[in-house]
Amino acid sequence: MLNDAADVIVVGGSYAGLSAALQLARARQRVVVVDAGQRRNRFARTSHGFLGQDGRAAAGIAQDARTQLLAYPNVQWLAGTAVAAQAQEEGFVLTTAEQTLRAQRLVLALGVVDELPAIEGLAERWGQSVFHCPYCHGYELNQGRIGVLASGEMSLHHAMLLPDWGRVTLFLNRSFVPDAAQLAALAGRGVVLEETPVVALVDQATLLLADGRQVVQDGLFTLTRTRLGSALPEQLGCALEQGPTGSYIRIGATMETTVAGVFACGDAARAFGNVAISVGDGALAGASAHRSLIFS
Ligand code: FAD
Ligand code: MG
């Protein structure tokens, strides 16, 4: 019923998309959420730092939000992947494997995908003992031994921040050579340097080095490369920004992209994101999409 004539289609039904859809649902708009179900933090057991939900299962937060959203009769949920989107004279057409949907506005809440460093044993430990966000998972390491696996010069930020969470060793892994000022800054923060390349991760977060040594750590942080969760923004012609880990969708103050009628929120529309920011940005994107139906 809604399929052919939604007011707004939200692509991505995780924190940002759920939050956008909730505002639109409450404005009695006909909303369709299309979601492929690949939440970025699905590798982690718990989520931290989101007010009122600190330490809860990441899946539980999203599940409760979805249950509350779907209580609104004007919301429809489609499990699946949106594969194409196009602007028409009036509104947009969006295609999934099964159907073609039409709406007057789009909200892109499609997240990013992490491309992990290619080190044996790392992928299995992602979200368990290997992380990228100190604010999300640093506290639980109890001021223990923290490794930073460098992936480039940006890893200096990790190494400089993380001493507030534990005793830090920076594994350079031939990814960059710190200059004298950087070495002094690292020393000032008590960071130990390890230049021998890393060949694998074993046990919880023990690094196996090329010379055969094993360095036991309680947790490991590394910066991933990120790419947008889907090619839809490019198909629609949305301008992108280049962030330190990858590109993201350019937005203005109301979360509208450079394509009129297309809004974006969450990790897909920021250089760095988390759950709280995604929920806030989603609420703004949802309300802005609604207001644009009236005022533009
Ligand atoms: P996502 O959660 O990535 O969701 C995007 C959704 O869009 C997915 O369901 C995806 O399948 C869907 N999608 C994409 N393309 C399409 C398409 N074409 N069609 C249909 N659906 C599509 N943050 C915290 O605040 N606290 C934490 O403790 C925390 N821990 C983390 C642990 C790990 C290991 C990682 C990787 C991240 C963690 N984060 C944490 C960050 C958090 O996961 C993200 O900031 C948050 O998930 C972003 O929400 P989002 O809605 O923007 O995108
Ligand atoms: Mg989302």
Side-chain angles (χ1 to χ4, degrees), residues 10-18 35 109-111 265:
V10 178
V11 184
S14 178
Y15 310 105
L18 285 162
D35 184 45
L110 34 76
C265 51

Side-chain angles (χ1 to χ4, degrees), residues 80-145:
T81 303
V83 292
Q86 215 185 357
Q88 305 256 297
E89 223 158 277
E90 281 215 1
F92 300 90
V93 175
L94 188 106
T95 319
T96 71
E98 283 88 34
Q99 50 203 307
T100 299
L101 309 164
R102 274 165 233 284
Q104 298 188 61
R105 299 286 183 270
L106 293 181
V107 176
L108 304 178
L110 34 76
V112 295
V113 175
D114 290 292
E115 290 169 352
L116 304 176
I119 296 223
E120 193 189 316
L122 190 144
E124 305 87 289
R125 291 169 178 78
W126 180 238
Q128 307 293 317
S129 57
V130 182
F131 313 102
H132 74 296
C133 167
Y135 299 93
C136 303
H137 300 284
Y139 189 89
E140 282 62 42
L141 295 174
N142 296 315
Q143 300 185 302
R145 296 157 294 187

Side-chain angles (χ1 to χ4, degrees), residues 12 14-16 35-38 40-41 48 80 82 110 137 266-267 274-275:
S14 178
Y15 310 105
D35 184 45
Q38 302 291 299
R40 187 180 180 189
N41 61 355
H48 287 276
L110 34 76
H137 300 284
D267 284 6
N274 66 22
V275 174

